Amino acid sequence: MQAMRANKRRGLVLGIIFLSLSLWSANLSAEQMQKSDTIDQSHPRARLIVGSEGLHDQVRLIKARVAPIGRLMRGQATVQNLTEKRMTLEYKVDWLDDEGFVIDDGGIWERFALGARELRPFKSLGKSQQAATMQFTVRFPGDAFMDRASRERNR
């Protein structure tokens, strides 16, 4: 009788361990599937997005930093031109809450120029105490691909 109970306990413990490992490995697989060469989520509080087709070969987004300043969050990301030509681009910073929802209406697109091989940092301050994560996006000016996706999202 006692041996039967011990076997049931062992079976139950092994089942729980197997289930936990299965769920853990499934979560790792899902996380790995989301990564791409146009989105960098290596920083826990920042997402860097290259939002135009073909642009990921021409620029690199680096040095994501997000830290509290008083009751608000501040963030910084650096754009590096990988080419030998001057580029005109646009960037936008959106702040998201802990659940991943964009705060207010999000950021606005702002145009900037980047010289050959130039590095330029961009800073932003989350304007709400709920701001937890920064999303920094760079694209070609007025990129139709991004504009179409934005219109479809807002429907």
Side-chain angles (χ1 to χ4, degrees):
M1 186 71 133
Q2 214 171 17
M4 191 183 293
R5 284 185 186 162
N7 283 339
K8 283 185 181 180
R9 284 186 187 139
R10 259 189 238 124
L12 182 60
V13 169
L14 288 175
I16 290 171
I17 291 172
F18 177 75
L19 182 62
S20 297
L21 289 175
S22 297
L23 291 173
W24 180 69
S25 67
N27 284 339
L28 287 179
S29 298
E31 199 61 36
Q32 291 169 352
M33 289 183 346
Q34 292 178 0
K35 292 183 180 179
S36 74
D37 56 356
T38 59
I39 300 175
D40 177 2
Q41 296 183 3
S42 58
H43 190 285
R45 292 199 172 268
R47 182 182 309 146
L48 305 177
I49 302 172
V50 177
S52 293
E53 276 185 59
L55 185 58
H56 70 281
D57 292 335
Q58 299 177 38
V59 299
R60 183 179 329 161
L61 302 179
I62 55 175
K63 298 184 182 177
R65 295 186 177 132
V66 178
I69 183 167
R71 293 180 156 191
L72 301 175
M73 296 297 281
R74 65 180 168 170
Q76 177 176 304
T78 300
V79 179
Q80 179 182 15
N81 183 349
L82 300 175
T83 71
E84 296 298 329
K85 62 183 181 182
R86 183 178 183 271
M87 300 178 78
T88 299
L89 301 168
E90 292 178 337
Y91 78 94
K92 178 172 82 158
V93 178
D94 293 316
W95 284 93
L96 297 89
D97 64 18
D98 283 328
E99 299 297 322
F101 290 97
V102 175
I103 296 174
D104 296 327
D105 291 332
I108 59 169
W109 291 105
E110 298 199 34
R111 198 166 282 202
F112 70 99
L114 200 58
R117 301 286 175 188
E118 183 181 356
L119 285 162
R120 178 173 299 170
F122 293 90
K123 298 175 187 176
S124 178
L125 182 65
K127 294 173 180 57
S128 166
Q129 291 181 19
Q130 286 72 39
T133 305
M134 176 184 74
Q135 178 173 287
F136 181 85
T137 306
V138 64
R139 69 176 187 181
F140 288 123
D143 187 292
F145 175 75
M146 289 293 290
D147 291 338
R148 184 179 69 233
S150 177
R151 282 192 304 272
E152 288 173 4
R153 246 192 338 260
N154 290 329
R155 285 186 194 173

